[in-house]
Amino acid sequence: MSSAGALLDVRALTKHFPVHAGIFGRTTGYVHAVDDVSFTVIRGETLSVVGESGCGKSTVGRAILRLTPPTAGEVWLGAQRIDNMHASELRPLRRRMQVVFQDPFSSLNPRMRVREILAEPLTNFGLARGASEIDDRVAALLDKVRLPREAMHRYPHEFSGGQRQRIGIARALAPQPDLIVCDEPVSALDVSVKAQIINLLSQLQDELGLTLLFISHDLAIVEHLTHRVAVMYLGKIVELADRRALFAQAHHPYTRALLSAVPVPDPLAKRQRMILAGDVPSPIEPPSGCRFHTRCPFVFDRCRKEEPLLRVVAERHLSACHLGEAN
Ligand code: SF4
């Protein structure tokens, strides 16, 4: 059974991709994209998964959506375990989980008018029948994403990037899903357009009580949208906390480094910039002990040998770091 009250329950999710070499394609190692990741999302909540490129956050989203099969672990949607479901059992569940992709330019079929794009999920899942019912539903979806109704007669190339992402959001809303995975939905957009799309998602969340898993490389983007934040580094969650606690009192040095790059609105308040040394190590051979130890300014002996486990550091606040731990 899933954890009580959780709409999404991810348990020890692991995804390793084989690395092949040579003319025979021999497996020479594994990319540890996601290692032992666990979290829950309750209905009506937004959980953001944040980390640098290559940390495994998008793979988490893809494994939940079953776009890539997990190597190990469990994924529960309500009372149903979905990670090991057969494709035929999964089909009706597709309605309950939708996705908004990063690139609004390639995620919409250029040969379909907006009406057809939005009608497809409605008819596929038997949610609307007949031209006039479909027209009404498509018009209502365009209203929701603040696009004019005549947009339904146009093709994707006639819209700007931000407008296309609104169409992508409308398509995700069409089958009235329980969960929407937003995979870097604003990273391909201009700064001012990013803010408009984040505001739209925030308004929709209030109006419709959406449950969102929001994947982003940018903590600043999620600050005004999310309820909780999971920070990932090299395939692991290193900190998981309510938004306020995370932004006010981050515990993990990696989270503190990410936060130090987030601009503060008050010109008198300054965050001390924490520059991390070196590059993210290879996920094929992650460092021993704490995976962050090669870049952490607070590293000490134990960090190189012993992996820190996620532990409670304050109410509803978990961190995987030896700092402050009883020896
Ligand atoms: Fe830094 Fe050690 Fe904490 Fe890892 S466990 S984040 S290396 S102090």
Side-chain angles (χ1 to χ4, degrees), residues 207-255:
E207 285 167 28
L208 308 172
L210 300 179
T211 308
L212 303 178
L213 183 71
F214 195 96
I215 295 164
S216 174
H217 67 279
D218 188 349
L219 262 175
I221 290 288
V222 306
E223 185 171 5
H224 302 291
L225 174 79
T226 199
H227 297 106
R228 284 188 302 141
V229 185
V231 178
M232 281 188 75
Y233 184 79
L234 261 187
K236 295 256 179 194
I237 291 184
V238 296
E239 187 154 14
L240 179 58
D242 288 341
R243 177 196 61 199
R244 280 206 184 90
L246 191 109
F247 278 85
Q249 280 187 309
H251 179 271
H252 198 281
Y254 178 61
T255 313

Side-chain angles (χ1 to χ4, degrees), residues 252-253 290 292-293 296 298-300 303 308 320-323:
H252 198 281
C290 173
F292 187 54
H293 85 246
C296 180
F298 307 105
V299 60
F300 54 104
C303 309
C321 172
H322 292 312
L323 284 177

Side-chain angles (χ1 to χ4, degrees), residues 40 52-53 98 143 149 181 189 198 219 261 283 307 313 322:
T40 57
E52 285 165 291
S53 161
Q98 291 294 306
D143 290 348
R149 290 181 171 198
V181 175
L189 304 175
I198 292 296
L219 262 175
E307 182 179 349
V313 291
H322 292 312

